[in-house]
Amino acid sequence: MNEHAGRLARAQAVMKREGIDALCVSVGSDLPYLTGYRAMPLERVTMLIVPADGHPELVVPGLEAPRVEVRDDAFTVTGWAESDDPIGIIDGLLGDVGTVAFGDETWSRFLLELQAINTARSFVPASEFMAGLRMVKSPDEIAALRRAAKTVDGVVDEMAGVRFSGRTERDVSREIIDRTISAGHDTMEFWIVASGPNGASPHHEPGERVIEPGDAVVVDFGGHQDGYSSDTTRMFVVGEAPYGFDDAFTVLYEAQSAAVDAVRPGVTAASLDAVARDIISEAGYGDLFIHRLGHGIGMDTHEHPYLIEGNDQVIEAGMAFSIEPGIYNPGEWGMRIEDIVVATGDGVERLNTSDRAYRVVS
Ligand code: ZN
Ligand code: ZN
C-alpha cells in the first residue's frame, strides 16, 4: 500500500469512528497530503471525495487531469469537461450522505452551491479532523523537514559573513531569497529583515530603511523544499548592540532553550508556551512578548498544533513545531529566536542547529 493509500485508509477509519460520512477537500495542503496532487487554486473546481466506506474519487477539471499521478489503489480520477456541471458530479458522488467534513480552504462558492442543491446534508469543518491526521509526522516527513531546516541553517551561516550596514532591508532580504533558492528550496514563503525599530514589529515587511551601525536586525525566513516547510529566526547585530539589547537577549536565549528542553510527549502545547513566558515575565519583559510561542509546521508553514495559552493539545512523538519567543521594545529594537523541533519518543530533536547566539556583522 503506498503512502497516500495508507493516509486515505487512516482517514476513513477516523471518519467511521467520528460519524463523518464523507470528506471533501480541494485546494490547500489537505489534498496533496491525501493524494500527492496539489490543485491549482482555480475557479474550475477540484474535489477529492472520500466516503467513510468505499473508494475515494478525485474530481478534476479535464485539462488538469494529465497532471494527476494516477494511484488506482488509493483513488480514482474523474475529469470533467468544460461543458459539464462539476458541482452536479460532486453532488452525485456524495449521494445521500448525512454529514460531510469540508476542507477549510475549499472555496465557499462550491460549498454554497452544494448546500443549495441538497439541504439534507450537514457540513462540518474538516479542520480538526485533518489536523488530527497531519499533526503527527511520519519518519519521511520529518526527514523532509530536517532537510529544509538544514538549508536555511546554511543560509544563516552564510549571512553571518555578509555586510548589512549601508544596505536596505529589501536588498538584504533579496540576497536571503537568492541564497535559499540556490541552496535547494523550491519556493520562498516569507523573508523578514527587520532592522532597528522595525524589529519591534514581528511580521515587518522589509522595505527601504537603510541598515545602520548599532542596529539589531531580525531575520526570519522560510519556504518549501520537496513539499515541506522551513522557518527559522536568527538575530544579527551591526557592530555594537543597542542599549538594553544584550540583557534582554540573555533572557530570550534562556527562555527559548528552556522551552525546547521542555518538549517531550505528554506535555501540553500551553505548558510549553508557559515555560518561555514565565522566564521572560520574571525578568520584566512579559509585556513585550506579544505573540504565541510557536506553531506546528509540515506541508504548511503554520499548522496545528499551536503553542498558545489555553491549548491543551497533548504533544505526541512525531509532532513538529516552532519554538519562537520574542521580545519587542517599541521604537527601539526587537528580537526573536526560532527553531523547528520535533517531539521524539522521549524528548526532542532540534531541526535547526545553527548557532542561536546573535551574529555580529559589519
Ligand atoms: Zn519564522
Ligand atoms: Zn514561525
Side-chain angles (χ1 to χ4, degrees):
M1 190 188 276
N2 78 27
E3 189 178 26
H4 298 104
R7 288 174 184 172
L8 283 162
R10 202 149 54 87
Q12 288 178 310
V14 179
M15 287 163 70
K16 283 188 199 120
R17 207 164 62 221
E18 297 189 357
I20 295 168
D21 302 313
L23 168 70
C24 287
V25 297
S26 179
V27 295
S29 294
D30 290 340
L31 183 61
Y33 180 80
L34 292 171
T35 65
Y37 174 67
R38 185 173 286 275
M40 307 257 263
L42 296 174
E43 74 291 355
R44 295 185 177 99
V45 64
T46 295
M47 193 78 77
L48 174 72
I49 298 133
V50 186
D53 267 309
H55 203 60
E57 191 96 29
L58 179 61
V59 177
V60 293
L63 74 170
E64 299 292 333
R67 296 203 307 120
V68 183
E69 194 181 325
V70 178
R71 296 158 196 259
D72 284 331
D73 63 328
F75 56 90
T76 43
V77 179
T78 302
W80 56 272
E82 294 285 64
S83 56
D84 286 344
D85 163 25
I87 297 297
I89 293 172
I90 292 164
D91 176 62
L93 288 167
L94 282 172
D96 57 5
V97 296
T99 303
V100 182
F102 210 74
D104 284 32
E105 294 180 60
T106 310
W107 290 15
S108 58
R109 205 187 91 206
F110 305 140
L111 174 61
L112 292 170
E113 288 175 24
L114 280 169
Q115 285 176 319
I117 295 178
N118 182 332
T119 55
R121 295 181 193 124
S122 67
F123 289 87
V124 296
S127 36
E128 272 189 37
F129 172 79
M130 287 306 304
L133 295 178
R134 284 173 52 187
M135 258 190 303
V136 174
K137 271 65 184 178
S138 69
D140 283 352
E141 291 185 289
I142 292 167
L145 287 167
R146 199 182 284 120
R147 285 194 299 274
K150 201 173 165 52
T151 298
V152 290
D153 284 352
V155 174
V156 164
D157 288 341
E158 288 172 22
M159 291 307 290
V162 159
R163 183 175 190 86
F164 277 57
S165 61
R167 300 173 65 189
T168 63
E169 294 173 341
R170 185 167 291 149
D171 185 37
V172 173
S173 75
R174 273 198 211 103
E175 179 168 350
I176 290 170
I177 294 168
D178 290 347
R179 286 180 182 272
T180 312
I181 296 290
S182 301
H185 267 36
D186 303 306
T187 57
M188 291 298 287
E189 189 160 304
F190 54 95
W191 39 81
I192 297 168
V193 174
S195 65
N198 290 340
S201 168
H203 284 167
H204 173 70
E205 188 85 21
E208 293 307 316
R209 184 179 186 277
V210 175
I211 299 168
E212 302 168 356
D215 279 350
V217 186
V218 181
V219 172
D220 181 357
F221 65 107
H224 304 282
Q225 184 167 325
D226 302 332
Y228 283 80
S229 312
S230 64
D231 186 3
T232 191
T233 310
R234 290 294 185 262
M235 292 303 306
F236 294 77
V237 169
V238 186
E240 291 274 305
Y243 177 76
F245 186 88
D246 281 333
D247 287 346
F249 191 83
T250 303
V251 173
L252 182 73
Y253 190 100
E254 186 196 338
Q256 204 265 354
S257 305
V260 171
D261 291 343
V263 173
R264 61 181 180 279
V267 302
T268 66
S271 75
L272 295 173
D273 180 273
V275 167
R277 203 166 299 278
D278 287 352
I279 291 170
I280 290 171
S281 296
E282 274 164 31
Y285 300 104
D287 292 343
L288 306 183
F289 177 17
I290 53 177
H291 55 68
R292 65 191 178 208
L293 179 66
H295 53 82
I297 189 166
M299 291 180 132
D300 290 324
T301 308
H302 287 191
E303 53 181 60
H304 293 276
Y306 294 99
L307 274 51
I308 189 168
E309 186 184 356
N311 185 1
D312 294 330
Q313 172 71 49
V314 174
I315 301 302
E316 295 173 39
M319 286 185 181
F321 43 86
S322 70
I323 301 278
E324 52 176 306
I327 298 176
Y328 307 95
N329 187 10
E332 304 294 331
W333 44 255
M335 58 177 70
R336 182 162 66 252
I337 302 173
E338 175 177 22
D339 291 315
I340 303 305
V341 304
V342 180
T344 62
D346 58 357
V348 62
E349 178 189 347
R350 201 189 275 273
L351 300 189
N352 292 107
T353 56
S354 69
D355 190 354
R356 283 165 293 139
Y358 68 73
R359 317 298 180 90
V360 177
V361 290
S362 57

